[in-house]
Amino acid sequence: MTERLAATPAGITTAARILREGGLVAFGTETVYGLGGDATQPAAVARIFEAKNRPRFNPLISHFASADAAFTQVQACPLAQKLAAAFWPGPLTLVLPRAPGSTVSDLAADGLSSLAVRVPHGEAVLALLRAVGRPVAAPSANRSGRISPSDASHVLEELTGRIDAVLDTGPCAVGLESTVLDLTDPDRPCLLRPGGVPVEALETLCGPIARPETEADAAPLSPGRMLSHYAPSLPVRLNATSVGPREGLLAFGPAPLPGAAVTWNLSPTGSLEEAAARLFSGLRFLDSQQPTFDLTGLAVQPIPPQGLGLAIQDRLNRAAAPRPAEPDLP
Ligand code: TXA
Ligand code: MG
């Protein structure tokens, strides 16, 4: 059952409790309704992808009640601070280097070393974010491939039964997603997605902003292809049906393959949601075991191609893809 909560103090308290307990609550922002989950809990983030039926993982925007809260999770350059002062709360998302102490899960950040943060506009959503007191990951609250919802009833049409609640904050004023600006290189601000704040308005503060105009220009920026994307340093072998003594095994299900040097089971019970939540920590763990076991590679047991299994496969395919050659050192 999906509860429809009124945007009253009681409704907001309930929504915050559900989020802190790892549940999913959709809520209106000034742009569109977001499908919120506690960004620090990988299991909650996995449920977001499951509810949206996303065939692949995507880095999600973390939402905060204030710029101060946002800037505990990222390294904010002076330009970011200036833009935040001018446009937050509002439809602007800033992509910045993740802070060393960031508590946002790798699944929410899709293993990137950067993080997208924003402070949305709206009394109810800000009260909710304050009450949660943690970063809230929220993609648009529609099923994958459908249009973004700008009203609580749209959310219910799309997601009834798949999320715990929707906080009915009324229709969204902007109805178009936030502008996403990459400031990971503060000397070269780059527009990743046009949205609620016009680029020209940003340029009055930033100077010229790079705008990748063609698909080809944008491709290197699309998160799945970025070099900063986390990939294990060891080669990855997919759909393994046996495993060697110098391989680390990423297992799935009740029958992990025997014979691996070291094993991380994504989900002994075969739950794809649990597997998604444990994917990044598993890759990092096995990679970290290389010196201990003199590992030559990682083997991955087959993952069923349904539901979140597709997103997990997509991520693993990218982890297993040939790496770009290291530049030759003189
Ligand atoms: O208005 C909005 O931004 C809405 C409301 C709910 O806040 N949210 C939203 O989220 O549109 P989503 O997940 O549908 O879009 C997030 C966008 C994607 O284009 C994603 O690739 C980009 O932000 N993004 C997130 N993290 C990123 C990162 N670290 N680097 C580059 N792009 C990132
Ligand atoms: Mg979307």
Side-chain angles (χ1 to χ4, degrees), residues 32-35 52 54 138-143 146 148-149 159 177:
V32 298
Y33 271 73
L35 172 49
K52 281 186 67 93
R54 271 217 177 155
S140 47
N142 50 284
R143 293 222 208 171
R146 313 252 197 115
S148 301
L159 297 172
E177 279 99 338

Side-chain angles (χ1 to χ4, degrees), residues 73-75 96-100 102-106 109-115 284:
Q73 297 289 331
V74 289
Q75 292 169 296
L96 292 161
R98 251 205 280 186
S102 165
T103 52
V104 170
S105 63
D106 270 330
D110 197 24
L112 294 167
S113 56
S114 62
L115 184 68
R284 281 188 201 275

Side-chain angles (χ1 to χ4, degrees), residues 5-181:
L5 299 169
T8 56
I12 290 167
T13 304
T14 304
R17 179 178 45 75
I18 295 171
L19 286 170
R20 290 180 65 94
E21 287 171 354
L24 301 186
V25 179
F27 51 80
T29 72
E30 80 283 41
T31 60
V32 298
Y33 271 73
L35 172 49
D38 180 347
T40 68
Q41 297 183 45
V45 178
R47 292 190 62 211
I48 294 178
F49 290 113
E50 172 68 34
K52 281 186 67 93
N53 230 343
R54 271 217 177 155
R56 44 167 299 185
F57 299 128
N58 254 0
L60 303 179
I61 299 171
S62 285
H63 296 70
F64 301 86
S66 67
D68 283 348
F71 292 160
T72 62
Q73 297 289 331
V74 289
Q75 292 169 296
C77 54
L79 180 55
Q81 286 169 3
K82 200 156 98 177
L83 290 170
F87 293 102
W88 281 352
L92 174 66
T93 294
L94 298 176
V95 175
L96 292 161
R98 251 205 280 186
S102 165
T103 52
V104 170
S105 63
D106 270 330
L107 190 57
D110 197 24
L112 294 167
S113 56
S114 62
L115 184 68
V117 295
R118 109 172 173 95
V119 178
H121 193 74
E123 229 171 275
V125 66
L126 290 174
L128 174 66
L129 293 168
R130 253 191 313 274
V132 176
R134 297 184 197 149
V136 173
S140 47
N142 50 284
R143 293 222 208 171
S144 188
R146 313 252 197 115
I147 29 174
S148 301
S150 51
D151 202 292
S153 54
H154 301 169
V155 176
L156 288 167
E157 278 162 31
E158 295 267 315
L159 297 172
T160 289
R162 303 175 75 90
I163 63 177
D164 299 292
V166 55
L167 184 67
D168 187 349
T169 48
C172 303
V174 179
L176 169 80
E177 279 99 338
S178 61
T179 303
V180 181
L181 185 69

